[in-house]
Amino acid sequence: MKFAFLCDTPFQVFNCVNFVYHNVESSKFDSDIYVMQQFSSSEKITQKLRESGLFSNVYEVAYYYSKPSPVSKLVTLKQTIFPQKNLVKHIYPKIDFTKKKYDVLVMATPIYFCFQFASCFPSAKVYFIDDGTGSYKGNIVESMTTGTFRLLHRFMNKGPLSLQIEKLYINNPDLCKSTVAPNICALPKWDNKDETYDKLLCSIFSVTEEGVSQYKNQHAIFLQQPLMQEMPPERVEEVERNLFEQIKNRFPSFLVRLHPREKRREVYEQYPVDRMMCLWELICAKEITDNTVLIGAFSTAQFIPKMIFDKEPYLIFTFHLYSPNTFFDSKKDEITNTIETLRSHYRNPEKIKIIQSMDEI
């Protein structure tokens, strides 16, 4: 079968490489991958994917999105009904949709590019692949679909809700409560003894010994998220400044890891920041231990050690500290339920804490 993998984060690329390298559903020798150029190092990762030879074709996808203005809604309508012309403008090398044929499309979320691409191949099966915590609860398609696309689906059967998802491939089915697909399937488990796979990943993601070793013996890691895009920047800066002071006073050493899509990196210059940004999943495999403390608002990165490697570091979730009037407020029950599901699978559940105040650090 001919596969097309559609990615817009490093974690999605990581999972797609896992899928193809391990020849899931005979995908190894006939797969293309499309990588959106919207995260740091996306160009470099795309080039390394080409050099790896793992995929038949590797395509770059220029980032684009739909703004909520009345004019752009009309443009969105046109592009959703006639997607090929728009897609051709954003994909490099250029492709001829009349000559492409895919049996299976693999994506992680129903973003604009993905559902437009799927509408060009109506006979292809659609699989979803692990995107982190969003893939483990509810229906990610329902939760990400806005009013405009709900109307398109209702009257024209177009948009993300028109996707018929057959399977969801994730790293840890035991933690999964997703209803997005009728079939929940496990991605191949991590094998510490597969040196060839380890070298392939290190090459694709430019992982170096120097980049990984800076996490060795770190007592605490602060996993930053691009929250300034969701709430007032000054509120985020105030909370994180106080957090860093608490962490600095309580841990012999700590490191700040910035999110790949964080734009305001200068805000963190005064703190010990990971400037090499090697792939988090490989850092978890090599240096994160059961004694490491991972601190974050509510980050997929906090779940990765258990989800993929069955490691159980201490986890401190700080989302309450950003209240009131933040986007966390409307999702507190959902977030808490997700954390409790993880806690129920920890051998020592007391290692997971949801704090209400700075002093609880």
Side-chain angles (χ1 to χ4, degrees):
M1 291 195 298
K2 181 75 172 179
F3 282 76
F5 293 85
L6 316 178
C7 305
D8 72 305
T9 70
F11 184 54
Q12 293 172 19
V13 175
F14 172 82
N15 287 323
C16 292
V17 169
N18 182 13
F19 193 105
V20 176
Y21 174 85
H22 291 100
N23 201 26
V24 176
E25 297 196 20
S26 302
S27 58
K28 191 167 189 176
F29 303 106
D30 206 8
S31 293
D32 294 346
I33 188 168
Y34 296 77
V35 183
M36 291 199 74
Q37 307 297 293
Q38 67 160 346
F39 56 88
S40 62
S41 74
S42 57
E43 290 184 14
K44 191 172 185 179
I45 288 174
T46 304
Q47 182 55 38
K48 291 291 186 178
L49 283 167
R50 290 193 181 104
E51 294 172 4
S52 74
L54 187 64
F55 295 88
S56 301
N57 297 287
V58 179
Y59 296 98
E60 301 169 22
V61 182
Y63 180 59
Y64 65 96
Y65 61 96
S66 175
K67 294 181 181 179
S69 69
V71 173
S72 65
K73 285 184 179 180
L74 292 175
V75 173
T76 298
L77 176 63
K78 179 181 177 181
Q79 292 176 348
T80 302
I81 299 172
F82 308 104
Q84 288 191 15
K85 187 175 181 180
N86 185 52
L87 288 170
V88 166
K89 294 178 183 178
H90 292 85
I91 297 173
Y92 178 82
K94 298 295 183 185
I95 68 171
D96 184 347
F97 280 94
T98 63
K99 296 180 180 179
K100 278 286 185 185
K101 182 182 183 300
Y102 292 114
D103 300 296
V104 182
L105 310 179
V106 183
M107 61 192 75
T109 61
I111 61 172
Y112 200 44
F113 166 69
C114 290
F115 74 75
Q116 280 198 349
F117 193 93
S119 68
C120 295
F121 302 93
S123 63
K125 297 177 182 179
V126 177
Y127 295 173
F128 266 30
I129 200 164
D130 203 326
D131 188 48
T133 54
S135 299
Y136 285 76
K137 61 184 187 295
N139 186 319
I140 196 171
V141 176
E142 286 280 352
S143 63
M144 290 184 66
T145 301
T146 61
T148 299
F149 291 117
R150 289 184 183 277
L151 288 173
L152 279 171
H153 175 70
R154 181 177 178 181
F155 294 106
M156 304 182 70
N157 197 30
K158 299 283 187 179
L161 290 175
S162 65
L163 294 171
Q164 300 295 312
I165 303 153
E166 293 195 12
K167 298 179 182 180
L168 169 62
Y169 273 92
I170 53 175
N171 286 287
N172 196 322
D174 290 341
L175 294 174
C176 186
K177 295 185 177 181
S178 174
T179 58
V180 77
N183 301 298
I184 307 299
C185 307
L187 286 166
K189 289 187 176 296
W190 179 264
D191 182 359
N192 285 321
K193 298 178 181 178
D194 191 340
E195 294 183 4
T196 302
Y197 183 47
D198 182 74
K199 288 178 181 177
L200 174 67
L201 290 172
C202 287
S203 174
I204 290 173
F205 294 99
S206 301
V207 174
T208 64
E209 180 61 32
E210 182 183 3
V212 173
S213 63
Q214 63 185 319
Y215 286 83
K216 193 176 186 66
N217 299 324
Q218 289 286 356
H219 293 83
I221 312 295
F222 180 80
L223 296 163
Q224 186 268 350
Q225 294 171 257
L227 301 179
M228 295 181 192
Q229 300 172 19
E230 307 287 346
M231 61 184 77
E234 58 273 12
R235 176 59 181 161
V236 177
E237 289 183 33
E238 177 188 4
V239 171
E240 292 185 347
R241 184 168 55 249
N242 291 333
L243 261 174
F244 292 149
E245 284 302 312
Q246 295 288 339
I247 294 170
K248 185 170 63 175
N249 292 335
R250 284 164 170 76
F251 295 97
S253 64
F254 80 100
L255 192 64
V256 177
R257 181 178 175 86
L258 300 181
H259 192 278
R261 287 200 292 269
E262 177 56 57
K263 304 296 184 184
R264 300 181 53 170
R265 293 175 176 260
E266 70 281 355
V267 173
Y268 302 91
E269 288 296 321
Q270 59 184 303
Y271 305 112
V273 174
D274 172 7
R275 302 183 190 282
M276 304 190 73
M277 291 298 291
C278 289
L279 185 72
W280 175 245
E281 288 68 30
L282 290 182
I283 290 168
C284 289
K286 298 173 185 291
E287 296 296 351
I288 300 303
T289 72
D290 287 358
N291 292 321
T292 310
V293 181
L294 302 183
I295 304 169
F298 175 69
S299 171
T300 288
Q302 291 170 283
F303 288 73
I304 294 297
K306 180 64 175 178
M307 279 168 42
I308 301 181
F309 308 104
D310 197 30
K311 294 183 178 182
E312 297 189 352
Y314 292 88
L315 303 181
I316 300 176
F317 293 94
T318 65
F319 61 92
H320 281 296
L321 302 183
Y322 297 87
S323 296
N325 303 321
T326 72
F327 77 105
F328 285 128
D329 294 338
S330 61
K331 298 182 178 181
K332 281 182 180 177
D333 289 344
E334 179 182 314
I335 290 171
T336 301
N337 289 338
T338 303
I339 295 171
E340 290 304 323
T341 298
L342 178 65
R343 193 199 303 270
S344 70
H345 286 80
Y346 252 53
R347 290 177 289 276
N348 184 356
E350 292 302 312
K351 295 178 74 173
I352 299 178
K353 303 291 184 183
I354 301 174
I355 65 171
Q356 307 280 341
S357 69
M358 290 289 179
D359 291 338
E360 291 183 62
I361 290 284

